[in-house]
Amino acid sequence: MKRIIPLLFGIICCVSVAKAQSVTIRAVNQPAPQVFRSIVEQTGKNFVYSSELLKDVRVTVKAKNKPLNYVLSEMFSGTSIEYKIKGNNIVLKNRKETTKPEKIKSSAISTPKTSIYEPSVKSTMLDEVVVVSRLEAPAVETSEIGAKKVSADEVRNTPVLFGEADVIKALQTQPGVTEGTEGMAGMYVHGGNADENLYMLDNVPLYQVNHFAGLFSAFNTDIIRYIDFFKSSMPAKYDGRLSSFMDVRLQNGNREGHHGSARLGLTSGTFNISGPIGKKTTYLVGLRRSWFDVLSIPFVAIANSQNEDEKLRFNYYFMDFNARVQHRFSPKATAFVSFYFGDDKLKTGTEDKGYNKPDDIGTFDDDRFDLHWGNLLAQAGLNYRFKDNLSSEFTAAYTRFFSGMKHDYKSRDKSPDRIDESHTLLNTDNNINDWIFRGDFDWRPNDDNRVRFGAGYTRHSFLPARTTREYKSGNTHTLSRDSTWAYGANEVNAYIEDDWKINDKFRMNAGFHGSLFNISGKTKYGWSPRLSFSYRPAQNWAVKFAYARTTQYVHQLNQSYLALPTDQWIPISGKFKPETADKISLGGYWQSSDKTYAISVEGYYKWMDNLVEYKDEYYLRPPLDLWNAQLCSGKGTAKGIDFKIEKVFGKVTGHVSYSLAWADRTFADKNGGRTFPAKFDNRHTINVMLNWKINDKVQLNASWVGHSGNRFTLLNQVWDAPDFDTADWSGGGESPLQTGINSYQLPFYHRLDLSCTVKNKRGYWTFGLYNAYCHMNTVAVKRGTRDITVSKPGEHYITSEPVFKRVKLLPVIPSISYTWLF
């Protein structure tokens, strides 16, 4: 009873606030769902109703600053529809319906939450929610190919390493998307590289979205509302990358009260809270921090206690912080300010234990390596509705990626009568800063057309890598700095697109994105037309065609298979042209009449020009050479078919997908000009995702992935470098020679991940099992040696021969976390 009274009081307060909200709207004979969108935008409420209830229902209503109850009464006067406001939902049903609404399972209704906590209203007759999103409709009703709207619940229900719900790892389960290296939050879409994906937080780009070399992504899942993801037919609004676009949308602040969550896991913890500030302002705050620096203390202490000669140094942590404040000036105008900061610090190295002991004689080293990287994003925006059919969003933002590496090496040569010291210090900085100003408009001239258009300006500032080397030894002191300098660039872009419902069978989306990129006194341009077309021969069938061109002016240079902070973001400059990709897609879609099952088949062919990568043996160039002298340009192709079948409603939901794909690259200055496969040219990829809601308290999740092995460059030849320091010639060490880029394919990769969510009165437990059947997958191959015992008459000895050894990293890993809701 003590808990029921506050709950009832909270519901009464919610209803009172809802009734006090005012709405301005003008609609003449418009479809009811279209009118609902305007009310949702002004009030934050969700409409819940049966799909059959509003079939062919059109609404006429005129109101200026009228209470929500008044507007709803006017809309449904003279009809058999009645409404009831329950918490943050407006529930509609037929007045003839006498069945008392009853509570049903939460899987029956899926709504992108607008706050951390919102009361859920369920009814036996409800099966649909109307919200503002271009991807909310089933695939058969839209013109997009390869577009996906991912809810926060889908992300949380995807089993992952260490139980850390992750946006990017959830997208890795989609067809056409591969994860790259095991356990990492990398994303390689339709044969593209990692830097060819544009990651956005509330429509503002982030350049570095990985923590711990990609083990975790930079997005706090507990405060996410939904994610829009595009990989084939790109909206004209987006450009600047070749492969995909992902926009993560945060929740709005809770208008009804102060609510939030706190989560404690094995590797990190989070704290999130949102609520109202007065009657028109809301706030949202989210904080996440890892425990690796604390967890590593006992392991480092144990390692140092067992090693008499060397002291290990290791410390790592990451954190990210989100804040958002939103103020509603009127039904037409809403302003917001948001802030994001992500930070990683890694300190490692070794110290000989005799380094600081005055009585020890010999040569002792102190080798320290520090890495610091992160993101900073600040944004201010205004949403303004000029008319009922014309809305806008104006944005000013600053986004920055930074990384710094420091290598501090000291050596002491101690003898009974003297100490000789040397000190080498290496510092490298890398950053990119953007100032962004843009305006986006959404115009609905009639029921069958939706026009989006806008323009923007970005001021880029690049520091690809600035390295300082300092050496001290006795009276010798040298200092050098490489020739890299900062670059400034100006980018201007504009776009327009029309989503046109020609009739009940045909739908088309046509658009264009144009851009100019000025750097070092030269202007480069990009023309990116977009077209997608849909034909519905029957109510539950659709066939689609799409063409999209994308242009990319900045790219990241990768030196390994991991997403390292030392990887440099650089602009297209000098002799290099903007990277471009042209993509043709064709798809077929089916949906069952009750919208429970859906099947899709999508084929694509993509050709890419002016791709930029390091030349072969780029590291042999002089260290003071310009960075772009180490690069070369080439082209690539990608083609494949994505198949997916999914079940959307019911106790058991999920999907099965299969992808057949090819991806290759050709560079005149790489691999002798011969075509070679891309690193993640995975021919076959299978993903199975199942979610079983046993009851209101327990849910089981399973994810199985299997794909052809990644491509790997084997160094299968070596030569002995001579050592000229001795009178007699002898080998000075092995130098590898590569015979072909990505010439070897790793074994087939497969893994099963499991998780279980158990709810209680205060929150929920999450139990996870990564790599449940402990299949140790090969992630790399290295050179090594194998001992061979030779026994002959009169002699017995041990020799060795060179071999390749497989590198296997991750066994079965359990996880547990608890989330407290308040």
Side-chain angles (χ1 to χ4, degrees), residues 414-697:
K414 297 163 38 175
S415 61
D417 56 347
R418 60 180 295 178
I419 297 178
D420 295 324
E421 294 185 330
S422 66
H423 183 193
T424 303
L425 185 64
L426 175 68
N427 280 292
T428 300
D429 295 315
N430 169 29
N431 61 62
I432 177 172
N433 300 267
D434 286 352
W435 287 95
I436 302 170
F437 304 91
R438 62 179 303 137
D440 299 293
F441 299 86
D442 191 333
W443 176 44
R444 303 171 186 267
N446 53 55
D447 295 343
D448 297 324
N449 288 84
R450 185 175 185 181
V451 180
R452 300 177 182 88
F453 59 95
Y457 165 76
T458 302
R459 171 62 183 178
H460 299 281
S461 178
F462 300 90
L463 181 65
R466 175 171 290 162
T467 302
T468 302
R469 300 171 179 85
E470 186 175 4
Y471 176 76
K472 295 179 181 180
S473 179
N475 295 325
T476 302
H477 182 197
T478 61
L479 178 66
S480 64
R481 178 174 293 171
D482 62 23
S483 57
T484 299
W485 56 83
Y487 287 80
N490 299 291
E491 182 179 351
V492 180
N493 60 76
Y495 71 93
I496 185 171
E497 72 172 9
D498 182 15
D499 189 10
W500 179 24
K501 183 181 179 182
I502 303 173
N503 54 41
D504 291 339
K505 291 184 178 294
F506 294 94
R507 193 182 190 105
M508 181 179 69
N509 185 294
F512 177 82
H513 188 109
S515 57
L516 299 174
F517 190 82
N518 180 270
I519 185 171
S520 301
K522 297 181 180 180
T523 300
K524 306 175 186 294
Y525 62 89
W527 306 104
S528 303
R530 313 285 168 81
L531 174 67
S532 57
F533 187 84
S534 173
Y535 169 63
R536 297 179 67 181
Q539 187 68 21
N540 58 343
W541 284 91
V543 180
K544 302 180 184 180
F545 167 82
Y547 165 76
R549 162 171 277 212
T550 50
T551 305
Q552 185 165 338
Y553 296 107
V554 297
H555 54 277
Q556 191 177 36
L557 300 176
N558 301 104
Q559 297 176 322
S560 70
Y561 283 71
L562 301 178
L564 299 176
T566 52
D567 296 336
Q568 305 169 14
W569 280 100
I570 62 175
I572 293 292
S573 63
K575 65 179 181 179
F576 295 103
K577 299 178 181 179
E579 298 176 318
T580 60
D582 295 86
K583 190 173 189 178
I584 296 175
S585 307
L586 182 66
Y589 305 83
W590 173 84
Q591 179 181 260
S592 62
S593 56
D594 59 358
K595 299 184 180 181
T596 299
Y597 296 93
I599 299 176
S600 65
V601 180
E602 299 174 351
Y604 64 92
Y605 183 82
K606 179 171 68 172
W607 60 99
M608 299 161 280
D609 292 309
N610 307 318
L611 301 179
V612 178
E613 288 191 11
Y614 281 118
K615 295 179 179 178
D616 285 344
E617 285 82 38
Y618 69 93
Y619 44 82
L620 298 178
R621 302 190 66 85
L624 298 182
D625 205 353
L626 293 176
W627 54 265
N628 57 7
Q630 304 173 2
L631 309 178
C632 60
S633 62
K635 59 184 180 180
T637 62
K639 57 185 177 181
I641 299 175
D642 297 333
F643 172 83
K644 182 179 181 181
I645 178 170
E646 58 184 330
K647 185 174 183 289
V648 181
F649 297 109
K651 280 190 173 182
V652 179
T653 60
H655 69 260
V656 178
S657 67
Y658 167 74
S659 295
L660 176 66
W662 292 262
D664 58 49
R665 303 286 187 270
T666 306
F667 289 77
D669 296 321
K670 290 179 73 68
N671 204 45
R674 301 184 302 274
T675 298
F676 58 91
K679 286 188 294 187
F680 304 106
D681 174 34
N682 307 121
R683 187 75 64 247
H684 307 280
T685 303
I686 305 171
N687 279 289
V688 181
M689 172 65 71
L690 294 176
N691 309 111
W692 178 25
K693 186 161 187 180
I694 300 176
N695 52 46
D696 289 339
K697 293 185 177 182

Side-chain angles (χ1 to χ4, degrees), residues 316-334:
Y316 170 77
Y317 92 97
F318 74 80
M319 60 86 67
D320 42 54
F321 174 77
N322 292 86
R324 179 183 175 93
V325 177
Q326 182 170 301
H327 180 76
R328 183 168 175 262
F329 292 100
S330 69
K332 289 187 175 183
T334 301

Side-chain angles (χ1 to χ4, degrees), residues 158-190:
T158 302
V160 292
L161 180 65
F162 297 126
E164 291 275 350
D166 194 284
V167 171
I168 296 178
K169 291 181 180 179
L171 290 175
Q172 290 172 355
T173 65
Q174 298 299 314
V177 182
T178 58
E179 65 178 345
T181 305
E182 179 182 21
M184 301 300 173
M187 196 164 70
Y188 299 84
V189 181
H190 284 172

Side-chain angles (χ1 to χ4, degrees), residues 12 165 171 176 187 242 334 390 492 507 529 680 714 723 763 766 817:
I12 294 172
L171 290 175
M187 196 164 70
L242 301 187
T334 301
L390 177 60
V492 180
R507 193 182 190 105
F680 304 106
L714 281 183
D723 187 349
T766 302
S817 67

Side-chain angles (χ1 to χ4, degrees), residues 734 783-788 798-805:
E734 291 183 344
R783 289 180 58 84
T785 58
R786 179 176 59 187
D787 292 338
I788 299 177
I798 297 177
T799 185
S800 63
E801 66 176 1
V803 295
F804 288 113
K805 296 183 177 181

Side-chain angles (χ1 to χ4, degrees), residues 238-260:
Y238 301 123
D239 205 18
R241 298 295 186 272
L242 301 187
S243 293
S244 74
F245 300 89
M246 183 185 81
D247 191 3
V248 177
R249 293 287 178 166
L250 297 181
Q251 299 172 3
N252 296 316
N254 197 315
R255 300 182 182 185
E256 315 300 346
H258 303 278
H259 298 285

